[in-house]
Structure formats: C-alpha cells, structure tokens
Amino acid sequence: MSLVQLDDLPLNSQARVRTIDWAAIPESEGHRLRSLGLEEGVEVEALHKGILLWRDPIAVRVGRMRIAMRRKVASALFCELSK
C-alpha cells in the first residue's frame, strides 16, 4: 500500500484517508476539519487547485461536501488511492 499526501493527489482522483498528522495542523484548523467530518477512513476527492503560483487553496470533496484547505494542511493527510 503506497500513501500519497492529499496535496499531491491528482485532480478528480478518489482516495481514502489513512492517517492524519494532527500535530502538523493548527488547532483551530484541526477543529474545523474534524467538525466537517474529516477523519481516518473517509473518502476524499481532489477537485480543484488554486491558480496562484503556490496552487493554494485546494478544494476537496469530503463525503458530500466540498471544502477548501491550504496545501500545507492537506500535506498532513496521507491517503490511499481508490481502485
């Protein structure tokens, strides 16, 4: 099983979150993500990356919701690509 960071997930690709490095995410942002249902085992899909030089923020589908997050936060989520 190879893991990919969420910020490196190809667009329109679905994956399952395997691990989250909560220590690398600011506490307020971690609280927001948890309240939106982001946790280990949830299905995610990379939808859009920003147009600025740093490609920030990114849009991600979590369940039936679309959420935006900074790439630095997304890099703390490790996912397994769905088949």
Side-chain angles (χ1 to χ4, degrees):
M1 168 177 72
S2 67
L3 298 179
V4 62
Q5 291 174 299
L6 182 56
D7 65 323
D8 290 330
L9 189 66
L11 292 180
N12 303 312
S13 296
Q14 295 182 353
R16 183 173 304 276
V17 176
R18 288 295 173 206
T19 61
I20 302 173
D21 182 5
W22 292 112
I25 300 173
E27 186 176 338
S28 61
E29 184 68 7
H31 177 73
R32 178 182 84 94
L33 295 175
R34 284 184 182 105
S35 67
L36 292 172
L38 191 65
E39 58 187 28
E40 287 89 355
V42 74
E43 289 282 333
V44 294
E45 179 182 0
L47 299 174
H48 179 75
K49 296 182 180 177
I51 60 173
L52 298 176
L53 179 63
W54 299 279
R55 310 286 289 163
D56 227 4
I58 64 172
V60 179
R61 184 184 320 272
V62 178
R64 297 184 324 194
M65 293 181 295
R66 291 180 187 194
I67 63 172
M69 68 176 72
R70 298 274 179 214
R71 289 185 65 120
K72 182 173 180 159
V73 171
S75 69
L77 284 81
F78 295 88
C79 306
E80 178 183 16
L81 289 170
S82 299
K83 295 178 182 177

Coordinates of all heavy atoms in Angstrom, one line a residue:
M1 N 0.8 -1.2 0.0 CA 0.0 0.0 0.0 C 0.9 1.2 0.0 O 1.7 1.4 0.9 CB -0.9 0.0 1.2 CG -1.6 1.3 1.5 SD -2.7 1.2 2.9 CE -1.6 1.2 4.3
S2 N 0.8 2.1 -1.0 CA 1.5 3.3 -1.1 C 0.6 4.5 -0.7 O -0.5 4.5 -1.2 CB 2.2 3.5 -2.4 OG 1.2 3.7 -3.4
L3 N 1.1 5.4 0.1 CA 0.3 6.5 0.5 C 0.8 7.8 -0.2 O 1.9 7.9 -0.5 CB 0.5 6.7 2.0 CG 0.0 5.6 2.9 CD1 0.2 6.0 4.4 CD2 -1.5 5.3 2.7
V4 N -0.2 8.7 -0.5 CA 0.1 9.9 -1.1 C -0.5 11.0 -0.3 O -1.5 10.8 0.4 CB -0.5 10.0 -2.6 CG1 -2.0 9.8 -2.6 CG2 0.0 11.2 -3.3
Q5 N 0.2 12.1 -0.2 CA -0.3 13.3 0.6 C -1.5 13.9 -0.2 O -1.4 13.9 -1.4 CB 0.8 14.3 0.8 CG 1.9 13.8 1.8 CD 3.0 14.8 1.8 OE1 3.6 15.1 0.8 NE2 3.3 15.3 3.0
L6 N -2.4 14.4 0.5 CA -3.6 14.9 -0.1 C -3.3 16.0 -1.1 O -3.9 16.1 -2.1 CB -4.6 15.4 0.9 CG -6.0 15.9 0.4 CD1 -6.7 14.9 -0.5 CD2 -6.8 16.3 1.6
D7 N -2.3 16.8 -0.8 CA -2.0 17.9 -1.7 C -1.3 17.4 -3.0 O -1.3 18.2 -4.0 CB -1.1 19.0 -1.0 CG 0.3 18.5 -0.6 OD1 0.4 17.3 -0.2 OD2 1.2 19.3 -0.7
D8 N -0.9 16.2 -3.0 CA -0.3 15.6 -4.2 C -1.3 14.7 -5.0 O -1.0 14.1 -6.0 CB 0.9 14.8 -3.9 CG 2.1 15.7 -3.5 OD1 2.2 16.8 -3.9 OD2 2.9 15.2 -2.6
L9 N -2.5 14.6 -4.5 CA -3.5 13.7 -5.1 C -3.9 14.3 -6.4 O -4.2 15.5 -6.5 CB -4.7 13.6 -4.2 CG -5.8 12.6 -4.6 CD1 -5.2 11.2 -4.5 CD2 -7.0 12.7 -3.6
P10 N -3.8 13.5 -7.5 CA -4.2 14.1 -8.8 C -5.7 14.5 -8.8 O -6.5 14.0 -8.1 CB -4.1 12.9 -9.8 CG -3.1 12.0 -9.1 CD -3.4 12.2 -7.6
L11 N -6.0 15.6 -9.6 CA -7.4 16.1 -9.7 C -8.3 15.0 -10.1 O -8.0 14.1 -10.9 CB -7.5 17.3 -10.6 CG -6.8 18.5 -10.1 CD1 -6.9 19.6 -11.2 CD2 -7.3 19.0 -8.8
N12 N -9.5 15.0 -9.6 CA -10.6 14.1 -9.9 C -10.3 12.6 -9.5 O -10.9 11.7 -10.0 CB -11.0 14.1 -11.4 CG -11.4 15.5 -11.7 OD1 -12.2 16.2 -11.0 ND2 -10.9 16.0 -12.8
S13 N -9.3 12.5 -8.6 CA -8.9 11.1 -8.1 C -9.5 11.0 -6.7 O -9.5 11.9 -5.9 CB -7.4 11.0 -8.0 OG -6.8 11.0 -9.3
Q14 N -10.1 9.8 -6.5 CA -10.6 9.5 -5.2 C -9.6 8.7 -4.4 O -8.9 7.9 -4.9 CB -11.9 8.7 -5.3 CG -13.0 9.5 -6.0 CD -14.3 8.7 -6.1 OE1 -14.4 7.6 -5.8 NE2 -15.4 9.4 -6.5
A15 N -9.7 8.9 -3.1 CA -8.8 8.2 -2.2 C -9.4 8.1 -0.8 O -10.4 8.8 -0.5 CB -7.5 9.0 -2.1
R16 N -8.9 7.3 0.0 CA -9.3 7.1 1.4 C -8.2 7.6 2.3 O -7.1 7.2 2.2 CB -9.6 5.6 1.7 CG -10.2 5.4 3.1 CD -10.6 3.9 3.3 NE -11.6 3.5 2.3 CZ -12.9 3.7 2.4 NH1 -13.4 4.4 3.4 NH2 -13.7 3.2 1.5
V17 N -8.6 8.4 3.3 CA -7.6 9.0 4.2 C -7.2 7.9 5.2 O -8.0 7.2 5.8 CB -8.3 10.1 5.1 CG1 -7.3 10.6 6.1 CG2 -8.7 11.3 4.1
R18 N -5.9 7.6 5.2 CA -5.4 6.6 6.1 C -4.8 7.1 7.4 O -5.1 6.5 8.5 CB -4.3 5.8 5.4 CG -4.8 4.9 4.3 CD -5.7 3.8 5.0 NE -6.4 3.0 3.9 CZ -7.5 2.4 4.1 NH1 -8.1 2.4 5.3 NH2 -8.1 1.7 3.1
T19 N -4.1 8.2 7.3 CA -3.5 8.8 8.6 C -3.6 10.3 8.4 O -3.5 10.9 7.3 CB -2.1 8.4 8.9 OG1 -1.2 8.8 7.8 CG2 -2.0 6.9 9.1
I20 N -3.7 11.0 9.6 CA -3.7 12.4 9.6 C -2.7 12.8 10.7 O -2.8 12.4 11.8 CB -5.1 13.0 10.0 CG1 -6.1 12.6 8.9 CG2 -5.0 14.5 10.0 CD1 -7.5 13.0 9.2
D21 N -1.7 13.7 10.4 CA -0.8 14.2 11.3 C -1.4 15.5 11.9 O -1.1 16.6 11.5 CB 0.6 14.5 10.6 CG 1.6 15.0 11.5 OD1 1.4 15.0 12.8 OD2 2.7 15.4 11.0
W22 N -2.2 15.3 13.0 CA -2.9 16.4 13.6 C -1.9 17.4 14.2 O -2.2 18.6 14.3 CB -3.9 15.9 14.7 CG -5.0 15.2 14.1 CD1 -5.3 13.8 14.2 CD2 -6.1 15.7 13.3 NE1 -6.5 13.5 13.5 CE2 -7.0 14.6 12.9 CE3 -6.4 17.0 12.8 CZ2 -8.1 14.8 12.1 CZ3 -7.5 17.1 12.0 CH2 -8.4 16.1 11.7
A23 N -0.7 16.9 14.6 CA 0.3 17.8 15.2 C 0.8 18.9 14.2 O 1.2 19.9 14.6 CB 1.4 17.0 15.8
A24 N 0.7 18.6 12.9 CA 1.2 19.5 11.9 C 0.1 20.5 11.4 O 0.4 21.3 10.6 CB 1.6 18.7 10.7
I25 N -1.1 20.4 12.0 CA -2.2 21.2 11.6 C -2.5 22.2 12.8 O -2.7 21.7 13.9 CB -3.5 20.4 11.3 CG1 -3.1 19.4 10.1 CG2 -4.7 21.3 10.9 CD1 -4.2 18.4 9.8
P26 N -2.7 23.5 12.5 CA -3.0 24.4 13.6 C -4.3 23.9 14.3 O -5.2 23.4 13.7 CB -3.3 25.7 12.9 CG -2.5 25.6 11.6 CD -2.5 24.1 11.3
E27 N -4.4 24.1 15.6 CA -5.5 23.6 16.4 C -6.9 24.1 15.9 O -7.8 23.3 15.8 CB -5.4 24.0 17.9 CG -6.4 23.4 18.8 CD -6.2 23.8 20.2 OE1 -5.0 24.1 20.6 OE2 -7.1 23.7 21.0
S28 N -7.0 25.3 15.5 CA -8.3 25.8 15.0 C -8.7 25.2 13.7 O -9.8 24.9 13.5 CB -8.3 27.4 14.9 OG -7.3 27.8 14.0
E29 N -7.7 25.0 12.8 CA -8.0 24.3 11.6 C -8.3 22.9 11.8 O -9.2 22.3 11.1 CB -6.8 24.5 10.6 CG -7.0 23.9 9.2 CD -8.0 24.7 8.4 OE1 -8.5 25.7 8.8 OE2 -8.4 24.2 7.3
G30 N -7.6 22.2 12.7 CA -8.0 20.8 13.0 C -9.4 20.7 13.5 O -10.1 19.7 13.2
H31 N -9.8 21.6 14.4 CA -11.2 21.6 14.9 C -12.2 21.7 13.8 O -13.2 21.0 13.7 CB -11.3 22.7 15.9 CG -12.7 22.8 16.5 ND1 -13.2 21.8 17.3 CD2 -13.7 23.7 16.3 CE1 -14.5 22.2 17.6 NE2 -14.8 23.3 17.0
R32 N -11.9 22.7 12.8 CA -12.8 22.9 11.7 C -12.9 21.6 10.8 O -14.0 21.2 10.5 CB -12.3 24.1 10.8 CG -13.1 24.3 9.6 CD -12.6 25.5 8.8 NE -11.5 25.0 7.9 CZ -11.7 24.7 6.6 NH1 -12.9 24.7 6.1 NH2 -10.7 24.3 5.9
L33 N -11.8 21.0 10.6 CA -11.8 19.8 9.7 C -12.5 18.6 10.4 O -13.3 17.9 9.7 CB -10.4 19.4 9.3 CG -9.6 20.4 8.4 CD1 -8.2 20.0 8.2 CD2 -10.3 20.6 7.1
R34 N -12.3 18.5 11.7 CA -13.0 17.4 12.4 C -14.5 17.7 12.4 O -15.3 16.7 12.2 CB -12.5 17.3 13.8 CG -11.1 16.7 14.0 CD -10.7 16.5 15.5 NE -9.5 15.9 15.6 CZ -8.4 16.6 16.0 NH1 -8.4 17.9 16.2 NH2 -7.2 16.0 16.1
S35 N -14.9 18.9 12.6 CA -16.3 19.2 12.6 C -17.0 19.0 11.2 O -18.2 18.8 11.1 CB -16.6 20.6 13.1 OG -16.1 21.6 12.2
L36 N -16.2 19.0 10.2 CA -16.7 18.8 8.8 C -16.6 17.3 8.5 O -17.0 16.9 7.4 CB -15.9 19.6 7.8 CG -16.1 21.1 7.9 CD1 -15.1 21.9 7.0 CD2 -17.5 21.5 7.5
G37 N -16.2 16.5 9.4 CA -16.2 15.0 9.1 C -14.9 14.5 8.6 O -14.9 13.3 8.2
L38 N -13.8 15.2 8.6 CA -12.6 14.7 8.1 C -11.9 13.9 9.1 O -11.5 14.4 10.2 CB -11.7 15.9 7.6 CG -10.4 15.5 6.8 CD1 -10.8 14.9 5.5 CD2 -9.6 16.7 6.6
E39 N -11.7 12.6 8.9 CA -11.1 11.7 9.8 C -10.5 10.5 9.0 O -10.8 10.4 7.8 CB -12.1 11.2 10.9 CG -13.3 10.6 10.3 CD -14.4 10.3 11.3 OE1 -14.5 11.0 12.3 OE2 -15.1 9.3 11.1
E40 N -9.8 9.7 9.7 CA -9.2 8.5 9.1 C -10.4 7.6 8.6 O -11.4 7.4 9.2 CB -8.4 7.7 10.0 CG -7.0 8.3 10.3 CD -7.0 9.3 11.5 OE1 -8.1 9.6 12.1 OE2 -6.0 9.8 11.9
G41 N -10.2 7.1 7.3 CA -11.2 6.2 6.8 C -12.2 6.9 5.8 O -12.9 6.2 5.1
V42 N -12.2 8.2 5.8 CA -13.2 8.9 5.0 C -12.7 9.0 3.5 O -11.5 9.0 3.3 CB -13.5 10.3 5.6 CG1 -12.4 11.3 5.3 CG2 -14.8 10.8 5.0
E43 N -13.7 8.9 2.6 CA -13.3 9.1 1.2 C -13.2 10.5 0.8 O -14.0 11.4 1.3 CB -14.4 8.5 0.3 CG -14.5 7.0 0.4 CD -13.4 6.3 -0.5 OE1 -13.0 6.9 -1.5 OE2 -13.1 5.2 -0.1
V44 N -12.1 10.9 0.1 CA -11.9 12.2 -0.4 C -11.6 12.2 -1.9 O -11.3 11.2 -2.5 CB -10.7 12.9 0.4 CG1 -11.0 13.1 1.8 CG2 -9.4 12.1 0.2
E45 N -11.8 13.4 -2.5 CA -11.5 13.6 -3.9 C -11.0 14.9 -4.1 O -11.5 15.9 -3.7 CB -12.8 13.4 -4.7 CG -12.6 13.6 -6.2 CD -13.9 13.4 -7.0 OE1 -15.0 13.2 -6.4 OE2 -13.9 13.6 -8.2
A46 N -9.9 15.1 -4.8 CA -9.3 16.3 -5.1 C -10.1 16.9 -6.3 O -10.2 16.3 -7.4 CB -7.8 16.2 -5.5
L47 N -10.6 18.1 -6.1 CA -11.5 18.8 -7.1 C -10.8 19.9 -7.9 O -11.0 20.1 -9.1 CB -12.8 19.3 -6.5 CG -13.6 18.2 -5.8 CD1 -14.8 18.9 -5.1 CD2 -14.1 17.2 -6.8
H48 N -10.1 20.7 -7.2 CA -9.6 21.9 -7.8 C -8.4 22.4 -7.0 O -8.3 22.3 -5.8 CB -10.7 23.0 -7.8 CG -10.3 24.3 -8.4 ND1 -10.1 24.5 -9.7 CD2 -9.9 25.5 -7.8 CE1 -9.8 25.8 -9.9 NE2 -9.6 26.4 -8.8
K49 N -7.4 23.0 -7.7 CA -6.2 23.6 -7.1 C -6.2 25.1 -7.5 O -6.6 25.4 -8.6 CB -5.0 22.9 -7.5 CG -4.9 21.5 -7.0 CD -3.7 20.8 -7.3 CE -3.7 19.3 -6.7 NZ -2.6 18.5 -7.0
G50 N -5.8 25.9 -6.6 CA -5.8 27.4 -6.9 C -4.9 27.7 -8.1 O -4.1 27.0 -8.5
I51 N -5.2 28.9 -8.6 CA -4.5 29.3 -9.8 C -3.2 30.2 -9.5 O -2.5 30.5 -10.4 CB -5.4 30.2 -10.7 CG1 -5.9 31.4 -10.0 CG2 -6.5 29.3 -11.2 CD1 -6.7 32.3 -10.9
L52 N -3.0 30.5 -8.2 CA -1.8 31.2 -7.9 C -0.6 30.4 -8.0 O -0.7 29.1 -8.1 CB -2.0 31.8 -6.5 CG -3.1 32.8 -6.3 CD1 -3.2 33.2 -4.9 CD2 -3.0 34.0 -7.2
L53 N 0.6 31.0 -7.9 CA 1.8 30.3 -8.0 C 1.9 29.1 -7.1 O 2.4 28.0 -7.5 CB 3.0 31.3 -7.7 CG 4.4 30.7 -7.8 CD1 4.7 30.2 -9.2 CD2 5.4 31.7 -7.3
W54 N 1.4 29.2 -5.9 CA 1.5 28.1 -4.9 C 0.4 27.1 -5.0 O 0.3 26.2 -4.3 CB 1.6 28.7 -3.5 CG 2.8 29.5 -3.3 CD1 4.1 29.1 -3.1 CD2 2.8 30.9 -3.4 NE1 4.9 30.2 -3.0 CE2 4.1 31.4 -3.3 CE3 1.9 31.9 -3.7 CZ2 4.5 32.7 -3.3 CZ3 2.3 33.2 -3.7 CH2 3.6 33.6 -3.5
R55 N -0.6 27.3 -6.0 CA -1.7 26.4 -6.2 C -2.5 26.3 -4.9 O -3.0 25.2 -4.6 CB -1.3 25.1 -6.7 CG -0.3 25.1 -7.9 CD -0.9 25.5 -9.2 NE -1.7 24.4 -9.6 CZ -2.6 24.5 -10.6 NH1 -2.8 25.6 -11.1 NH2 -3.4 23.5 -10.9
D56 N -2.7 27.4 -4.2 CA -3.4 27.4 -3.0 C -4.7 28.3 -3.1 O -4.7 29.3 -3.8 CB -2.5 28.1 -1.9 CG -2.4 27.3 -0.6 OD1 -3.0 26.2 -0.5 OD2 -1.8 27.8 0.3
P57 N -5.8 28.0 -2.5 CA -6.1 26.7 -1.7 C -6.5 25.6 -2.6 O -6.6 25.8 -3.8 CB -7.2 27.1 -0.8 CG -8.0 28.1 -1.6 CD -6.9 28.9 -2.4
I58 N -6.8 24.5 -2.1 CA -7.3 23.4 -2.9 C -8.7 23.1 -2.4 O -9.1 23.3 -1.3 CB -6.4 22.1 -2.8 CG1 -6.4 21.5 -1.4 CG2 -5.0 22.4 -3.3 CD1 -5.7 20.2 -1.3
A59 N -9.5 22.6 -3.3 CA -10.9 22.2 -3.0 C -10.9 20.6 -3.0 O -10.4 20.0 -3.9 CB -11.9 22.7 -4.0
V60 N -11.6 20.1 -1.9 CA -11.6 18.7 -1.7 C -13.0 18.3 -1.4 O -13.7 18.9 -0.6 CB -10.7 18.3 -0.6 CG1 -10.7 16.8 -0.3 CG2 -9.3 18.7 -0.8
R61 N -13.5 17.2 -2.0 CA -14.8 16.6 -1.6 C -14.5 15.7 -0.4 O -13.7 14.8 -0.5 CB -15.4 15.9 -2.8 CG -16.8 15.4 -2.4 CD -17.4 14.5 -3.5 NE -17.2 15.0 -4.9 CZ -17.9 15.9 -5.5 NH1 -19.0 16.5 -4.9 NH2 -17.6 16.3 -6.7
V62 N -15.3 15.9 0.6 CA -15.3 15.0 1.8 C -16.7 14.5 2.0 O -17.6 15.3 2.3 CB -14.8 15.7 3.1 CG1 -14.9 14.8 4.3 CG2 -13.4 16.3 2.9
G63 N -17.0 13.3 1.7 CA -18.4 12.8 1.7 C -19.1 13.5 0.6 O -18.8 13.5 -0.6
R64 N -20.2 14.3 1.0 CA -21.0 15.0 0.0 C -20.6 16.5 0.0 O -21.3 17.3 -0.7 CB -22.5 14.8 0.3 CG -22.9 13.4 0.1 CD -24.3 13.1 0.2 NE -24.9 14.0 1.3 CZ -26.1 13.8 1.8 NH1 -26.9 12.8 1.4 NH2 -26.6 14.6 2.7
M65 N -19.7 16.9 0.8 CA -19.3 18.3 1.0 C -18.1 18.7 0.2 O -17.2 17.8 0.0 CB -19.1 18.7 2.4 CG -20.2 18.6 3.3 SD -19.8 19.1 5.0 CE -18.7 17.7 5.4
R66 N -18.0 19.9 -0.2 CA -16.8 20.5 -0.8 C -16.2 21.4 0.3 O -16.9 22.3 0.8 CB -17.0 21.3 -2.0 CG -17.5 20.4 -3.2 CD -17.7 21.2 -4.4 NE -18.3 20.4 -5.4 CZ -18.4 20.8 -6.7 NH1 -17.9 21.9 -7.1 NH2 -18.9 19.9 -7.6
I67 N -14.9 21.2 0.5 CA -14.2 22.1 1.5 C -12.9 22.6 0.9 O -12.4 22.0 0.0 CB -14.0 21.4 2.8 CG1 -13.0 20.3 2.7 CG2 -15.2 21.0 3.5 CD1 -12.5 19.7 4.0
A68 N -12.5 23.8 1.3 CA -11.3 24.3 0.9 C -10.2 24.2 2.0 O -10.6 24.4 3.2 CB -11.4 25.8 0.5
M69 N -9.0 24.0 1.7 CA -7.9 23.9 2.7 C -6.6 24.4 2.0 O -6.4 24.2 0.8 CB -7.8 22.6 3.3 CG -7.4 21.5 2.4 SD -7.1 19.9 3.3 CE -8.8 19.4 3.6
R70 N -5.8 24.8 2.8 CA -4.4 25.2 2.4 C -3.6 23.9 2.1 O -3.8 22.9 2.7 CB -3.7 26.0 3.5 CG -4.4 27.3 3.8 CD -3.9 28.4 2.9 NE -4.6 29.6 3.2 CZ -4.9 30.5 2.2 NH1 -4.6 30.2 1.0 NH2 -5.5 31.6 2.6
R71 N -2.7 24.1 1.1 CA -1.9 22.9 0.8 C -1.1 22.4 1.9 O -0.8 21.2 2.1 CB -1.0 23.3 -0.4 CG -1.8 23.4 -1.7 CD -0.8 23.7 -2.8 NE 0.0 22.5 -3.0 CZ 0.0 21.8 -4.1 NH1 -0.7 22.1 -5.2 NH2 0.8 20.7 -4.2
K72 N -0.6 23.3 2.8 CA 0.2 22.9 3.9 C -0.6 22.0 4.8 O -0.1 21.1 5.4 CB 0.7 24.2 4.7 CG 1.6 23.8 5.9 CD 2.1 25.1 6.5 CE 3.0 24.6 7.7 NZ 4.0 25.6 8.0
V73 N -1.9 22.3 5.0 CA -2.8 21.5 5.8 C -3.0 20.1 5.1 O -2.9 19.1 5.7 CB -4.1 22.2 6.1 CG1 -5.1 21.2 6.8 CG2 -3.8 23.4 7.0
A74 N -3.2 20.2 3.8 CA -3.5 19.0 3.0 C -2.3 18.0 3.0 O -2.5 16.8 2.9 CB -3.9 19.3 1.6
S75 N -1.1 18.6 3.2 CA 0.1 17.7 3.2 C 0.2 16.9 4.4 O 1.0 16.0 4.5 CB 1.3 18.6 3.0 OG 1.6 19.4 4.1
A76 N -0.6 17.2 5.5 CA -0.6 16.4 6.7 C -1.6 15.2 6.6 O -1.7 14.4 7.6 CB -1.0 17.3 7.9
L77 N -2.3 15.1 5.5 CA -3.2 14.0 5.3 C -2.6 13.0 4.3 O -2.3 13.4 3.2 CB -4.6 14.5 4.8 CG -5.5 15.2 5.8 CD1 -5.1 16.6 6.0 CD2 -6.9 15.1 5.4
F78 N -2.5 11.7 4.7 CA -2.0 10.7 3.9 C -3.1 9.8 3.4 O -3.9 9.3 4.3 CB -0.9 9.9 4.6 CG 0.3 10.8 5.0 CD1 0.3 11.6 6.2 CD2 1.3 11.0 4.1 CE1 1.4 12.4 6.5 CE2 2.4 11.8 4.4 CZ 2.4 12.5 5.6
C79 N -3.2 9.6 2.1 CA -4.3 8.9 1.5 C -3.8 7.7 0.7 O -2.7 7.7 0.2 CB -5.1 9.8 0.6 SG -5.6 11.3 1.4
E80 N -4.7 6.7 0.6 CA -4.5 5.6 -0.3 C -5.5 5.7 -1.5 O -6.7 5.9 -1.3 CB -4.8 4.3 0.5 CG -4.7 3.0 -0.4 CD -5.0 1.8 0.4 OE1 -5.7 1.9 1.5 OE2 -4.7 0.7 -0.1
L81 N -4.9 5.7 -2.7 CA -5.8 5.8 -3.9 C -6.8 4.7 -4.0 O -6.5 3.6 -3.7 CB -4.9 5.9 -5.1 CG -4.1 7.1 -5.4 CD1 -3.1 6.9 -6.5 CD2 -5.0 8.3 -5.7
S82 N -8.0 5.1 -4.3 CA -9.1 4.1 -4.5 C -8.9 3.4 -5.9 O -8.4 4.0 -6.8 CB -10.5 4.8 -4.5 OG -10.7 5.4 -3.2
K83 N -9.4 2.2 -6.0 CA -9.2 1.5 -7.2 C -10.4 1.7 -8.1 O -11.4 2.0 -7.8 CB -9.0 0.0 -6.9 CG -7.7 -0.2 -6.2 CD -7.5 -1.6 -5.9 CE -6.2 -1.7 -5.1 NZ -5.9 -3.0 -4.6

